[in-house]
């Protein structure tokens, strides 16, 4: 996925690339915990240990940092989901995927929610570039879920007429809604319940 709107992203020296990475990583950690709005450029400067001139050499403004953070967080999420969903071909496999997400979120008591969902709620209304990036990432995530559900169909667990894309959209929606409920309650139980409802619907279509 390419990122538009960034400043100097080509022909960076090794040191420049490391500096940029420090800025983006520090900003990602802060924005995931505090939120985008509550994270200032001064916060990023302090956390990354770079100078103001170094920061502005790589990013013209906060919006460009946010876009770089979305790219980083998106890569992390998609890589995780590719590893988790890439070979899933059974309902049991989908339940193991669900268990891993809930368990991981329980380590934080559900406090921070989904990184991509949190960014979407904060930036989608005022940054078209960021919104398009997030839209692309969610589409990629949905496609990974659709791939897993399609493999259920190919192995005979679902009928040929099963609406794969609709089921994948519903499952992703249940997951994202579950993240929000868990974040509000500081408890992963609503998240687990939301995903379970979606999985039970998929299972109800089973041909076995």
């Amino acid at each position: 996925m390419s990122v538009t709107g960034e400043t100097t992203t080509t022909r960076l020296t090794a040191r420049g690339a490391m500096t940029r990475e420090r800025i983006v990583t520090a900003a990602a950690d802060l924005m995931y915990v505090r939120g985008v709005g509550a994270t200032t450029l001064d916060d990023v400067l302090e956390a990354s240990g770079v100078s103001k001139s170094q920061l502005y050499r790589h990013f013209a403004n906060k919006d460009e940092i946010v876009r770089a953070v979305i790219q980083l967080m998106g890569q992390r999420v998609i890589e995780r989901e590719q590893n988790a969903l890439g070979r899933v071909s059974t309902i049991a496999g989908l339940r193991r995927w669900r268990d891993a997400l809930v368990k991981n979120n329980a380590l934080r008591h559900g406090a921070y929610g989904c990184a991509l969902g949190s960014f979407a709620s904060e930036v989608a209304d005022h940054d078209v570039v960021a919104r398009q990036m997030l839209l692309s990432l969610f589409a990629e995530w949905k496609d990974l879920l659709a791939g897993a559900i399609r493999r259920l169909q190919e192995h005979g667990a679902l009928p040929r007429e099963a609406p794969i894309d609709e089921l994948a959209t519903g499952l992703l929606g249940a997951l994202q809604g579950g993240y929000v409920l868990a974040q509000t309650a500081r408890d992963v139980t609503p998240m687990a319940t939301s995903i379970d409802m979606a999985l039970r619907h998929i299972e109800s279509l089973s041909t076995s």
Side-chain angles (χ1 to χ4, degrees):
M1 181 184 64
S2 62
V3 180
T4 58
E6 291 181 4
T7 51
T8 309
T9 59
T10 59
R11 291 180 295 192
L12 287 177
T13 64
R15 178 176 295 180
M18 289 177 62
T19 299
R20 187 181 187 281
E21 183 179 0
R22 282 166 56 194
I23 294 168
V24 176
T25 301
D29 292 342
L30 289 169
M31 290 176 183
Y32 182 48
V33 176
R34 300 181 183 180
V36 174
T39 300
T40 66
L41 290 180
D42 286 339
D43 294 331
V44 176
L45 288 171
E46 182 178 357
S48 64
V50 305
S51 67
K52 188 172 290 188
S53 63
Q54 285 176 310
L55 185 146
Y56 282 110
R57 190 173 300 132
H58 295 282
F59 301 100
N61 50 47
K62 183 178 175 181
D63 282 347
E64 290 191 356
I65 296 177
V66 171
R67 293 167 194 165
V69 169
I70 290 172
Q71 183 183 43
L72 174 63
M73 300 300 279
Q75 287 173 341
R76 290 176 180 175
V77 169
I78 295 303
E79 286 176 6
R80 181 197 72 203
E81 294 300 279
Q82 285 173 335
N83 290 332
L85 291 165
R87 296 185 179 180
V88 169
S89 59
T90 63
I91 288 290
L94 281 175
R95 292 199 179 281
R96 286 192 293 271
W97 163 80
R98 169 266 195 210
D99 292 345
L101 288 177
V102 172
K103 181 178 180 181
N104 184 61
N105 206 25
L107 298 176
R108 299 184 293 269
H109 305 291
Y112 306 138
C114 171
L116 299 186
S118 297
F119 277 107
S121 67
E122 290 204 66
V123 307
D125 287 342
H126 71 267
D127 187 338
V128 174
V129 174
R131 184 178 67 81
Q132 289 296 329
M133 292 173 67
L134 288 161
L135 183 64
S136 177
L137 287 164
F138 279 121
E140 193 169 354
W141 198 344
K142 189 208 79 171
D143 286 345
L144 290 171
L145 288 166
I149 297 170
R150 188 170 293 109
R151 286 190 292 277
L152 267 70
Q153 186 184 58
E154 290 169 351
H155 288 113
L158 292 176
R160 280 184 294 179
E161 66 272 16
I164 302 300
D165 284 346
E166 291 179 16
L167 292 172
T169 298
L171 183 53
L172 182 57
L175 171 60
Q176 291 301 315
Y179 268 124
V180 172
L181 293 174
Q183 187 174 10
T184 304
R186 295 296 192 269
D187 180 4
V188 296
T189 302
M191 175 185 179
T193 300
S194 296
I195 304 172
D196 285 344
M197 289 290 289
L199 292 180
R200 278 198 290 271
H201 175 63
I202 294 172
E203 194 170 16
S204 73
L205 303 175
S206 174
T207 57
S208 57

